Amino acid sequence: MAQPNCLSLSIKGVVQGVGFRPFVYNLAKELSVRGFITNTSEGVSLTIEGENIGVFIERLRKDAPPLAKIQSIDILPCANAGFDDFSIRESRDSGSFTLVSPDVSVCADCCCELFDRVDRRFLYPFINCTNCGPRYSITRSVPYDRENTTMAVFTMCPQCEAEYRDPRDRRFHAQPNACGRCGPRMMLSVGKNEIQAAAPVSRAVTMLKEGMILAVKGLGGFHLVCDATNGGAVQRLRDRKRKNNKPFGLMAPDVAAARKFCHVTADEEALLLSGQRPIVLLKRLAQDSLEAVAPGNRCLGFMLPYVPLHYLLFYHPDETGRSTQMPHFDALVMTSGNISEEPIVIHNSDAEQRLAGMADAFLYHNRDIFMRVDDSVVRHAAASALSPSKTFFIRRSRGYVPDPVLLPGDGPDVLGCGADLKNTFTLTRGRYAIPSQHIGDMENIETLDFFEETLRNLKAVYRAEPVALAHDLHPGYLSTRWALAQEGIEKFGIQHHYAHIASVMAEKGLSEKVIGVSFDGTGYGDDGTLWGGEFLVADLDGFKRAGHLDYIPLPGGESAIREPWKTAVSYVRGAAGAEAMDYLRPTGLVEQFGSDTVDNVIRLCGQREFSPLSSGAGRLFDAVSALIGVCRKNTFEGEAAIALESLVLDELDDDYPVDVSFREMMGIDFSMTILGLVRDMRSGVSPAVMATKFHNTVASAVVTVVQKLSVVHNIRTAVLSGGVFQNACLTRMVMDGLLAGGMKVCVNEVVPCNDAGVSLGQAYIMRERLKAGKKAGT
């Protein structure tokens, strides 16, 4: 049958702000195809005529710009309109929605122009083109046109306008297009007093070389910046901002500079150079390398420059105008510009007020940020004999958000509110789940305001109107209290660890029963106790708790999380009973904290009102870290467990005894493990050997339980999730053990396995049940 020579195409996906219309225009010209293309609120719409429309559609799929992500192309025949040419028409609003592109790091072409003295954008900090630049962070609404972004206030000069209108130009329809004559500008100030400098960036570089701390406005918010090799500057920043040991993020000018401090594999190099430019956790070359940046941590988190301003901080000519071939710095600290535990600052006036006690000066600009986005953080796990290499998110934000998770079929709009730690929320729209950027810990009004601000923005951009929302069961969570206070919408509580498992199911499109291993620090159980070491048999209809780590008292409740040595005392008490003090003496805990204090903690363990029971796997890792003297106080969440993992040795297979109870509710008792650790301490075994044997023990116990449940329930798919599986050593050991037994193993790869992934699981459970006409329940 003859092919119609006039077709109407509706293309959905990430096709706005990624050079798609210019690509289509030039392809049409090349193939003598006539018609038009326009942005719509659903994607793009084309009408095409000509003899080569078959080849055109084939090339459309095959040669689309690298940033474009075509989800679907709907094709319908239509009547010939007799077009003379091909054109790009004004955008139209069809009342639906389209996917928004994440922000994209500056491209190589723009970098070349940035340092080309004869180019009109020489040293211009906002240079961009169709292939790079801000997207999500400046988008107010769709369609993605200049008037719907924060660039609307900047009127293009004639030269920029000519580039924007020229189909042969790299800036054809580049919405943030600008230059030094017509676009945003940089400013430098001390306090609220602007410094009149011809080259504010050059002056800022001089300040950094002098050891000053600067608040620098970037793509998604402010960074606090100092010379990472200046130990005094780094310590001042830590004293002013953190007052704990949490690592600072770092930026290197290139991969070679990062290699001065860290091992960088080929896969890690690819991540560093990717258009997303995440912070990549890299293994240090030496423990004392930049020690003040990440005290006691085996890894450093490096990223490369992703906006022109970052390159200028490393390579800007000095104040005399002399160019430099070598970077000014080997590494800069680039940590989020915020008061500890508050959202990243995005407004100039807020920065002057909120960051005044931390920054010596401010380098900022007058282009507004609409969507605040922190830097993303990832970790790459190398392949083993059985497990493929994988990249895991620690924090998913800039460069990746708002990329969606594709769900099975269309479904109702719903909202997953997430948990309180590392909060994100997830909206569903059509067949997509859209996880938000990192919101933060829901423990203050500023973070709640950020949650609501981002929710309003994403609902507007995606035109989502949730018919139901899901929340955590924990009655004390601010996210739960917020959810329950919403009026005129159905509300459902979803158990925390079930949501963790469902987040992986959403990523993989699973609906059948799986064996879920959900390991984290603490989550509210459906029986009102504190869960965290869970084995679930789960599908989208619900879950059965099939096993867990044995409960131990948390002496003092929350204080045991901050001071894991107390949890170590509780574990020894549980293992040794009346002889606990004798077993504790070789560990140094009695000597360090005093016999009276330790005895009080032992007695406190027996008082349930002050020592709630917990099955948390995270608490076990904390306890062992404290027991063997690695880290006895957490100055930030996960510090003790991170320090313990950093000691793990390769090629050591020894482990400790552990008691696995094969009953209807399977249990894992680590009492013998704890006593084995104490015996090794008495014998002078190194902490690294003990840490490795402990990891081997936990992995072996998990594999044993999952394999038993697999036989009992005839299930061959295992799902691993929860913050404990950020531990790459443990994850690899468990995966290898299960794969060796012929099981299919799924883990989080699109959202973090920590509490940031919970909202995706909540939304997926509720959406699929509502589709099936079922109550969401718990």
Side-chain angles (χ1 to χ4, degrees):
M1 187 172 72
Q3 177 179 294
N5 59 7
C6 184
L7 297 174
S8 171
L9 280 64
S10 175
I11 304 178
K12 296 179 181 178
V14 181
V15 289
Q16 294 188 15
V18 292
F20 193 75
R21 286 183 298 170
F23 156 72
V24 170
Y25 178 92
N26 287 304
L27 180 62
K29 289 290 188 181
E30 176 188 339
L31 297 175
S32 301
V33 168
R34 305 176 302 281
F36 68 88
I37 182 173
T38 183
N39 272 350
T40 72
S41 51
E42 294 181 299
V44 296
S45 177
L46 292 81
T47 298
I48 53 174
E49 294 178 354
E51 299 301 320
N52 295 322
I53 57 177
V55 177
F56 177 87
I57 293 171
E58 181 182 339
R59 293 273 303 276
L60 202 65
R61 299 178 189 273
K62 186 178 70 173
D63 298 337
L67 298 178
K69 298 174 185 176
I70 297 174
Q71 300 282 4
S72 65
I73 302 179
D74 294 329
I75 304 174
L76 292 173
C78 59
N80 278 33
F83 295 110
D84 296 325
D85 204 346
F86 193 88
S87 64
I88 295 178
R89 291 189 176 179
E90 290 295 317
S91 299
R92 58 183 174 84
D93 189 340
S94 60
S96 188
F97 75 101
T98 191
L99 300 177
V100 177
S101 168
D103 299 297
V104 185
S105 62
V106 61
C107 69
D109 289 334
C110 285
C111 277
C112 288
E113 294 171 348
L114 181 66
F115 292 103
D116 183 351
R117 287 184 176 272
V118 301
D119 193 277
R120 71 188 189 90
R121 292 186 177 86
F122 176 57
L123 303 182
Y124 183 57
F126 305 94
I127 188 171
N128 69 88
C129 70
T130 304
N131 302 316
C132 69
R135 298 291 191 273
Y136 176 63
S137 59
I138 63 169
T139 301
R140 295 183 185 274
S141 63
V142 292
Y144 176 72
D145 290 316
R146 192 180 182 98
E147 61 265 27
N148 294 329
T149 73
T150 61
M151 285 296 295
V153 297
F154 300 100
T155 302
M156 284 184 281
C157 67
Q159 283 177 286
C160 287
E161 182 77 24
E163 293 169 333
Y164 183 85
R165 301 295 177 191
D166 184 354
R168 298 162 298 179
D169 197 282
R170 204 174 79 252
R171 296 185 170 88
F172 181 44
H173 279 252
Q175 304 306 331
N177 191 31
C179 68
R181 290 176 56 194
C182 63
R185 69 179 186 91
M186 298 300 304
M187 297 161 280
L188 182 68
S189 73
V190 176
K192 296 185 179 181
N193 301 313
E194 184 176 348
I195 297 173
Q196 299 302 316
V201 178
S202 180
R203 180 69 64 85
V205 170
T206 301
M207 290 177 167
L208 289 170
K209 288 181 175 180
E210 292 170 352
M212 296 176 71
I213 298 167
L214 269 62
V216 179
K217 187 177 182 181
L219 186 70
F222 276 82
H223 283 112
L224 290 166
V225 182
C226 69
D227 180 357
T229 64
N230 185 327
V234 175
Q235 190 57 51
R236 282 196 304 279
L237 177 56
R238 187 170 296 282
D239 292 342
R240 293 177 185 180
K241 182 178 193 261
R242 286 240 165 97
K243 297 181 173 60
N244 62 31
N245 296 328
K246 190 173 183 180
F248 288 131
L250 293 165
M251 180 175 284
D254 51 36
V255 174
R259 283 199 166 104
K260 294 180 181 180
F261 307 102
C262 296
H263 299 277
V264 184
T265 67
D267 288 329
E268 289 165 343
E269 179 176 359
L271 283 167
L272 287 167
L273 292 169
S274 69
Q276 292 85 1
R277 295 291 166 98
I279 295 174
V280 183
L281 299 187
L282 304 171
K283 188 176 180 180
R284 273 181 159 135
L285 288 175
Q287 190 56 46
D288 59 354
S289 174
L290 303 181
E291 175 60 18
V293 170
N297 201 305
R298 181 172 66 171
C299 294
L300 295 173
F302 268 103
M303 59 182 162
L304 299 186
Y306 56 85
V307 295
L309 175 59
H310 294 155
Y311 281 103
L312 294 176
L313 290 175
F314 285 108
Y315 293 105
H316 199 290
D318 63 25
E319 293 189 70
T320 68
R322 187 171 57 242
S323 296
T324 177
Q325 297 300 313
M326 298 295 293
H328 298 299
F329 310 97
D330 283 334
L332 290 171
V333 168
M334 284 262 181
T335 189
S336 299
N338 60 343
I339 297 172
S340 187
E341 308 309 330
E342 290 188 7
I344 189 171
V345 173
I346 59 172
H347 299 296
N348 297 344
S349 57
D350 284 350
E352 291 169 350
Q353 176 184 350
R354 306 186 81 79
L355 305 181
M358 298 178 236
D360 301 309
F362 297 82
L363 181 64
Y364 51 87
H365 55 76
N366 61 339
R367 185 182 72 199
D368 286 343
I369 297 168
F370 186 65
M371 294 278 203
R372 68 184 88 206
V373 276
D374 279 283
D375 296 312
S376 295
V377 183
V378 302
R379 182 176 188 175
H380 186 77
S384 68
L386 294 170
S387 308
S389 65
K390 291 183 182 294
T391 298
F392 299 103
F393 283 96
I394 307 298
R395 181 169 71 203
R396 182 179 184 270
S397 208
R398 176 192 50 77
Y400 298 94
V401 172
D403 272 351
V405 177
L406 191 61
L407 300 177
D410 282 339
D413 296 3
V414 301
L415 168 66
C417 296
D420 266 21
L421 286 179
K422 300 178 176 65
N423 178 267
T424 68
F425 63 82
T426 295
L427 278 172
T428 68
R429 183 77 166 93
R431 59 186 309 197
Y432 303 108
I434 303 107
S436 76
Q437 65 265 44
H438 169 78
I439 302 294
D441 293 349
M442 296 280 278
E443 58 183 43
N444 52 54
I445 191 64
E446 290 81 9
T447 307
L448 179 60
D449 287 345
F450 177 28
F451 175 98
E452 293 182 324
E453 165 196 290
T454 307
L455 179 58
R456 283 194 303 272
N457 293 347
L458 278 177
K459 283 172 63 178
V461 167
Y462 286 101
R463 297 175 180 184
E465 288 298 333
V467 298
L469 61 80
H471 59 82
D472 198 275
L473 294 181
H474 199 305
Y477 276 1
L478 182 56
S479 57
T480 302
R481 299 201 303 271
W482 179 88
L484 294 175
Q486 304 310 299
E487 298 179 353
I489 187 171
E490 286 190 272
K491 297 176 275 285
F492 301 105
I494 306 290
Q495 202 280 323
H496 185 87
H497 300 95
Y498 177 34
H500 268 306
I501 300 306
S503 70
V504 182
M505 296 175 71
E507 289 187 22
K508 310 301 181 185
L510 301 176
S511 58
E512 69 273 14
K513 283 191 185 299
V514 301
I515 298 168
V517 185
S518 187
F519 275 16
D520 61 7
T522 302
Y524 196 78
D526 61 11
D527 60 358
T529 62
L530 301 178
W531 293 8
E534 308 308 312
F535 296 86
L536 310 178
V537 175
D539 60 16
L540 294 177
D541 288 330
F543 72 94
K544 174 187 175 183
R545 192 186 193 198
H548 59 83
L549 273 57
D550 280 6
Y551 286 104
I552 58 108
L554 289 183
E558 290 287 330
S559 74
I561 299 173
R562 295 188 297 272
E563 300 179 272
W565 71 269
K566 295 179 179 178
T567 311
V569 169
S570 180
Y571 265 103
V572 173
R573 170 188 174 272
E579 299 177 21
M581 193 65 82
D582 293 335
Y583 277 86
L584 284 165
R585 284 195 174 89
T587 69
L589 287 168
V590 176
E591 180 181 356
Q592 181 174 349
F593 296 103
S595 58
D596 288 345
T597 300
V598 172
D599 188 58
N600 286 336
V601 171
I602 291 173
R603 286 189 280 109
L604 188 64
C605 288
Q607 301 177 45
R608 196 60 59 243
E609 65 271 31
F610 302 116
S611 301
L613 294 175
S614 168
S615 63
R619 304 289 79 84
L620 172 64
F621 279 78
D622 283 354
V624 171
S625 183
L627 184 71
I628 67 175
V630 177
C631 178
R632 289 180 166 166
K633 292 189 177 181
N634 279 324
T635 67
F636 65 92
E637 195 229 345
E639 181 177 5
I642 291 169
L644 185 69
E645 183 198 355
S646 72
L647 298 178
V648 173
L649 304 170
D650 294 327
E651 309 303 328
L652 178 63
D653 297 327
D654 295 350
D655 59 12
Y656 294 108
V658 61
D659 182 17
V660 177
S661 299
F662 294 102
R663 51 182 189 257
E664 184 177 355
M665 177 70 74
M666 297 186 68
I668 306 179
D669 180 358
F670 285 96
S671 295
M672 291 188 292
T673 306
I674 297 296
L675 297 180
L677 285 160
V678 174
R679 281 193 293 271
D680 275 357
M681 292 189 76
R682 279 200 185 113
S683 302
V685 175
S686 74
V689 169
M690 290 187 286
T692 307
K693 290 172 66 178
F694 169 71
H695 277 73
N696 291 340
T697 304
V698 175
S700 176
V702 171
V703 170
T704 298
V705 172
V706 172
Q707 287 177 335
K708 179 65 173 179
L709 292 173
S710 172
V711 172
V712 171
H713 297 279
N714 193 28
I715 299 171
R716 303 300 296 163
T717 300
V719 167
L720 313 179
S721 190
V724 169
F725 286 110
Q726 288 182 161
N727 183 320
C729 296
L730 177 70
T731 303
R732 185 189 68 247
M733 292 174 183
V734 173
M735 288 187 69
D736 283 355
L738 294 174
L739 289 168
M743 294 200 68
K744 176 183 176 182
V745 185
C746 300
V747 296
N748 290 108
E749 296 180 73
V750 179
V751 298
C753 65
N754 59 36
D755 279 7
V758 164
S759 67
L760 174 60
Q762 291 172 340
Y764 185 50
I765 292 166
M766 184 170 56
R767 174 187 184 271
E768 296 306 301
R769 290 194 189 171
L770 290 176
K771 276 175 60 179
K774 300 174 183 176
K775 294 287 287 183
T778 58

